Amino acid sequence: MPVLVPTTLDEAVSAMAADPDAMVLAGGTDTMVEVNAGHRRPSCVVVVNRVSEMRSWTYDPVAATVRIGAAVTYAELLEPPLATLLPALAEASRTVGSPQIRHAGTLGGNLGTCSPAGDGLPVLSALDAVVPLASTAGERSMSVHDFMVGVKRTAREPGELITAVTVPVLSGWQGYAKVGVRNAMVIALATACVAVDTASASVRLAIGSVGPTILRCAQAEAFAASAVDFAASSASADAVRRFAELAAAASHPIDDHRASAAYRRHAIGVLASRLLRRAFPNE
Amino acid sequence: MSDQMSDDATASARVGWNEQYALHVNDEVREVRDAWVGESLLFVLRERLGLMGTKGACEQGECGSCSVMVDGELVCSCLVMAASAVGQRILTIEGIAPIGAPSDVQRAFVDAGAVQCGFCTPGLIMAAHDLLERSVQPSEIEIREELSGNVCRCTGYGRIIEAVQRVSVNRRAGAST
Amino acid sequence: MSAVVDERTSVGRLGDSITRPDGTAKVQGSFAFSSDLSAENSLWGATLRSPHPYARIVSIDVTPAYRISGVEIIVTAADVPGKATYGLITQDQPVFASEFVRHVGEPVAAVAADHPETCRRALGAIVVTYEVLEPLTDPERAIDGSHPPIHPDGNVIRHQRIVAGDVDATGEVVVEGEYEIGMQDQAFLGLEAALALPDPGGAGVELHVATQWLHEDRKQIAACLGLAEDKVRLALGGVGGAFGAREDISLQVHACLLALRTGRPVRIQYSREESFLGHVHRHPARIWMRHHATADGHIVKIEARMVFDGGAYASTSSAVLINGITHTQGPYKCANAVVDGYAVRTNNLPCGAMRGFGVVQACFAHEGQMDKLAVACGLDPIEIRLLNAIETGDRLITGQVIENVAPVARCIRDTAALALPDEPVGGHDGDPMRLPGGAGRTADARHIRRGIGFAVAMKNLMYSEGFDDYSTARCRLANGVVTLKFATSEVGQGFVTIAGQIARSVLGVDDVVLDPIDTGVGSAGSTSASRQTWMSGGAVNAACQKVLGLLFAHVAATNGVEAWSLRIDGSDVVDASGAFRLSVVEATSAISFDETVEYRHKPTEDLDENGQGDCHTAFAFVAHRAVVDVDPELGLVKVIQVATAQDVGRALNPLSVLGQIEGGIAQGLGLAVMEEIIMTDGRIRNPSFTDYLLPTFLDMPNVVATLIEEPDPIAPLGAKGVGEPPTISSTPAIVAAIRDAIGKPLDRVPVRPSDIIGLV
């Protein structure tokens, strides 16, 4: 049977075991584009968007994490209380494709495709999310940083399923910004997520569409942690400028038909400065 | 993710060419026989079930012409693998209203001048119905965001917004009387 | 199976905003577009295309494809029974490439098989060996002769000069600019599609196709198939938009050939990528202009050089060039001019008709110049345009005198008088969708600058340069019902609506039936050049008037009244005294009338070697004002409002006119800020809707429009074509507004974010 539609995780994992190279289909918003273009000719498909464990999310207030099933859609991430717990992820979700795409596309699919322009990925990176992978051998988890290997390459092994993503809930401002040439339904030329963790007095910055995969900007983060005033929510104009320079320097963009490397690098600097100012509105 | 390329082009065996399944479309169970596994819901609706009202214009979810409802969610049927939609309730433009008895949204599109070539129209009708189910009095900016997945090349959108607003006004007037 | 408009239209006379007769079918999904047509036992057709911009075909081996189950036939150039090439003006484009491929995507072979996926695999199995050649991609190298001819017809498609008045005249003020216009795609939503039905025994073929010009298609198809024209019957498949891209042949001959060879119905439907490769585009152009003016701002002389890149085949390039150079001055008085224009052949994608047809390019340049002139003369953009506004009776640089109503100054004043948006940057509710960048939350209101820009355009209507331009319509009247027959392509513009309005107004009937649109009547000419309201409207009017004359004669003879005294009043025939009244229904209960008329506009002339001649038929005018919000640091733009006053002559259906205005502006906006086919070394980089961006609901602003109705005595119904003008000056108005917001020159469209922030 080439198309399997399991409803439990056990069934889904068994299906993957039966054909470890099966095409995993969630919302189809990336995969079917390739099938329609003749770039992929599936012989076995495991459809995961009706696996109940993957369709739901749970909040663990003690661990301060949200475990989001891999088949949760962007439209669902836009709704409270998820949107309240993870506001940057909601902001990113609102930029994904169109309403139709947000109804179908899933966070697990975003991870599985692992495009550098994946809209949800900078948020997962900034929040140090963890990706659980399941197979008949059991579940293993890895940091999202280890999971994202390169352009459309991940650490998922044949036979494994991305079941969920576990996202820490931070105490502090977080926000997302995305540059595209159109005001809706557009592929990112540059994205950035800033997440403040007041508990650890840290500022995280992840950037997308400017490297083979999502990049964390360690120097900019270290600089910000020392340069901003967390209590007063303030950052000097100089600090914002320096943060932007370090962010731009951390990018590794390429020229393509969508934008030049120079523009993408410039845009990262602008986004970083504007996000940091939103996080620390006082001068 | 990886997947297997099926038989090479010159092989005579046709793997994945005999899919049999049933779809639940517009409150009817429709059998699909001898389908290729890679067929989209858009293709199957049009070519196997004869439901030509759903249109394809980009095959990558960038135009909204193929919009249908699947289990109550507005989606692009070109991005739904047809065989994966078994057991789900599919609503197409043909299920919105009987021929000759258009819905209020459909009438408003005609009356407001929201239709020119009409190719994007069925998808927009689906999206507008969905919007007006969820939002009784959408603001203009809300209409623009909610319909932004549906590209129209003829109208410049002004008359479409007018049509949606007319339905909103009329429904509220109807509800209050 | 048939995709024709064939229902009674709603009641309405000229000037009424009645709704479309095909509207209900379109909103219900039951209107049959060409892609919706199928037939018993039909096959799918698909096209193998060149991966190279320029190469010699060494060999083609189709045998591996025949081993795929489900493949019925494969055809190549060797299988074309008639003329090997086609084209609208010169027949220089091969049905299938034989010796050379001259652009990426050029058809090399076609296959018919049982399923689209079988077709895809068959195309993948055909082995074509190419000897790759150095492509010609720089239009200047086509002009300077430094690249060998890539086609037997040479690399220059047409060169034309205009020399007018005193070529040595100078002005106290001189402004100069170089402008570049990118390659725009028509991007209709209804992809190319057709159904070909072979006659038994292969004696002929019936083609249901989405096209702009049934008879011209038929002429070219019949020639390539080696069939007499009457053996090729065309019917209009429902057309999902056109905008110029369906004026040239694409899949027509391929579908017919596959059907004739297999003896089975064949459907071809392009993918979006194929559509980008398979139809002509708007010409990319480079334009240099130098304006001389008096110190107080009157234009003295214009010098210009225009180069249009026609791509690999001629299509309508020579006519596009003429439109471009003859609109150098725009809607402004100018006595002296020296203009040099080239349309050239390269190995880029072929270019031809798109809404605005050469005038879009010229207008972007002349409006950039007018803004520079305003600055140089210390005038504002509106003053400089009013000062130079052309009027009826003025002589153009071609020597042609404008006979039309020419309310240019009124277009400018009425546009300027329209209210500006009252919302501040970002609006009041904090929704990021109101700012440039939209949901991307790239900016806060304080980052944004607002700008206002103005532009005005002149556009020729109908065909030019001596073309025998006509349209045919047949009117039958019986039992109070009018039946109209015409071959006018309905592409969404609404001719089917106004055709009924004309018949009702002329003949006093309520019921109008539209016959199927096909080649069963004479040619209507193309649905292009803003010409069908004038031409096919003129033909329908003339046919109805002829029937009216017969009706009056009949009524006079049977009722003892004078024919000359009769007129239509509502649904009745009445005489001047008012004593006689008879309903049209009663008057035609026992008799019917049937008249077919060809309508022609007055002849036009070729241009001479100095570009002099009455080459155009008529002109329409329009002004646009754009308000934009710009993020100067990221280079993102949101257009906030476009205001316009358009010279429409007479609005036969104001709602339809508004639809043309709003839709045309959306395409002008697209060219201004996002739409471009990007070519690198002859290869297209963005053949998809993911990367070729069209304006969405969140990109297109509200339009504020005023219709200027000064019925044109030259036009058969007083109505000018309205389709193209909205697309023409909306683009430069938006760019002018961006310039105003950022205070920097911009000389290229589409304006890219990097252009705004000044990155190389």
Side-chain angles (χ1 to χ4, degrees), chain C residues 26-287:
Chain C
K26 284 178 172 177
V27 294
Q28 295 213 281
S30 59
F31 180 85
F33 290 93
S34 55
S35 52
D36 301 333
L37 305 176
S38 63
E40 278 293 298
N41 200 30
S42 66
L43 294 165
W44 291 88
T47 316
L48 180 69
R49 296 174 182 280
S50 167
H52 303 295
Y54 190 33
R56 183 189 306 277
I57 297 175
V58 176
S59 64
I60 302 175
D61 182 5
V62 300
T63 50
Y66 273 116
R67 288 200 283 271
I68 295 174
S69 168
V71 171
E72 292 293 325
I73 198 165
I74 299 154
V75 293
T76 66
D79 299 294
V80 178
K83 195 170 168 56
T85 55
Y86 63 86
L88 273 166
I89 296 176
T90 40
Q91 289 71 55
D92 67 341
Q93 188 159 5
V95 175
F96 294 108
S98 53
E99 197 179 350
F100 294 97
V101 288
R102 297 187 181 87
H103 68 89
V104 162
E106 179 161 359
V108 174
V111 59
D114 63 350
H115 191 285
E117 174 63 13
T118 312
C119 289
R120 266 200 294 273
R121 294 179 190 203
L123 297 181
I126 297 172
V127 181
V128 184
T129 307
Y130 294 99
E131 177 195 345
V132 176
L133 303 169
E134 177 69 27
L136 168 57
T137 58
D138 177 0
E140 290 297 338
R141 293 196 63 200
I143 296 169
D144 68 22
S146 65
H147 195 287
I150 59 169
H151 190 280
D153 294 353
N155 293 347
V156 174
I157 295 168
R158 184 166 177 184
H159 173 220
Q160 175 71 49
R161 284 166 59 80
I162 297 176
V163 180
D166 175 6
V167 298
D168 298 321
T170 55
E172 296 148 283
V173 178
V174 178
V175 294
E176 190 172 342
E178 274 199 78
Y179 302 89
E180 186 179 347
I181 295 89
M183 186 189 290
Q184 189 179 19
D185 189 62
Q186 299 84 350
F188 45 55
L189 285 194
L191 293 159
E192 287 88 347
L195 169 67
L197 303 165
D199 290 348
V205 65
E206 181 175 307
L207 183 69
H208 297 252
V209 63
T211 178
Q212 289 174 235
W213 193 353
L214 289 162
H215 287 77
E216 176 63 27
D217 277 12
R218 179 171 73 167
K219 187 173 95 186
Q220 296 181 49
I221 296 164
C224 294
L225 295 176
L227 291 173
E229 282 193 28
D230 64 1
K231 298 297 180 195
V232 180
R233 301 176 309 282
L234 263 68
L236 189 68
V239 185
F243 317 118
R246 298 190 209 267
E247 202 165 41
D248 289 80
I249 293 278
S250 56
L251 45 61
Q252 283 88 330
V253 184
H254 304 158
C256 291
L257 187 55
L258 291 170
L260 287 167
R261 288 292 298 270
T262 58
R264 290 171 65 178
V266 171
R267 301 166 69 186
I268 301 185
Q269 301 187 7
Y270 281 4
S271 68
R272 181 55 61 183
E273 177 171 2
E274 265 193 301
S275 183
F276 276 104
L277 299 170
H279 65 237
V280 299
H281 310 283
R282 186 187 302 294
H283 288 72
R286 283 179 175 277
I287 299 174

Side-chain angles (χ1 to χ4, degrees), chain C residues 547-565:
Chain C
V547 165
L548 183 70
L550 297 176
L551 171 67
F552 285 170
H554 169 73
V555 168
T558 51
N559 292 278
V561 290
E562 297 286 344
W564 60 263
S565 72

Side-chain angles (χ1 to χ4, degrees), chain A:
Chain A
M1 179 66 185
V3 181
L4 302 165
V5 189
T7 56
T8 68
L9 189 56
D10 282 349
E11 288 171 20
V13 166
S14 300
M16 291 303 292
D19 186 347
D21 291 319
M23 188 175 91
V24 180
L25 188 70
T29 57
D30 289 331
T31 307
M32 282 303 289
V33 173
E34 299 191 6
V35 173
N36 289 339
H39 297 148
R40 271 190 177 199
R41 290 187 180 131
S43 57
C44 178
V45 183
V46 177
V47 181
V48 296
N49 64 2
R50 274 177 275 168
V51 174
S52 54
E53 294 94 326
M54 295 169 72
R55 285 285 302 114
S56 57
W57 61 275
T58 51
Y59 173 45
D60 180 344
V62 177
T65 57
V66 183
R67 182 180 163 112
I68 302 168
V72 169
T73 65
Y74 297 108
E76 290 163 339
L77 293 170
L78 271 166
E79 297 297 325
L82 260 184
T84 316
L85 289 165
L86 301 168
L89 196 55
E91 288 181 6
S93 298
R94 194 177 174 191
T95 74
V96 174
S98 62
Q100 287 88 332
I101 299 299
R102 298 195 282 274
H103 289 144
T106 66
L107 198 55
N110 212 208
L111 281 164
T113 299
C114 200
S115 161
D119 290 309
L121 303 182
V123 182
L124 299 183
S125 174
L127 299 180
D128 291 330
V130 171
V131 182
L133 297 157
S135 67
T136 46
E139 184 177 287
R140 65 177 180 133
S141 287
M142 66 174 72
S143 119
V144 71
H145 312 297
D146 296 330
F147 178 81
M148 299 186 293
V149 174
V151 179
K152 298 194 174 182
R153 287 196 303 126
T154 73
R156 187 180 76 94
E157 298 287 342
E160 281 189 321
L161 274 180
I162 304 164
T163 56
V165 56
T166 302
V167 189
V169 176
L170 304 187
S171 57
W173 186 91
Q174 57 184 243
Y176 175 85
K178 162 180 167 177
V179 177
V181 176
R182 190 160 66 177
N183 290 304
M185 202 163 51
V186 70
I187 295 209
L189 303 180
T191 56
C193 176
V194 164
V196 178
D197 184 30
T198 50
S200 63
S202 63
V203 175
R204 284 87 168 282
L205 172 62
I207 56 179
S209 282
V210 287
T213 185
I214 308 303
L215 304 170
R216 279 285 290 269
C217 307
Q219 279 189 289
E221 292 182 9
F223 168 77
S226 64
V228 303
D229 184 333
F230 288 89
S233 286
S234 70
S236 70
D238 280 348
V240 170
R241 195 176 309 119
R242 183 63 186 148
F243 182 73
E245 285 168 8
L246 291 168
S251 66
H252 296 290
I254 55 165
D255 288 319
D256 68 13
H257 58 276
R258 293 180 187 144
S260 66
Y263 176 77
R264 290 172 192 268
R265 188 177 293 112
H266 168 85
I268 287 295
V270 175
L271 294 185
S273 74
R274 290 180 180 177
L275 286 169
L276 191 69
R277 182 51 77 202
R278 285 178 195 163
F280 300 93
N282 305 317
E283 281 232 14

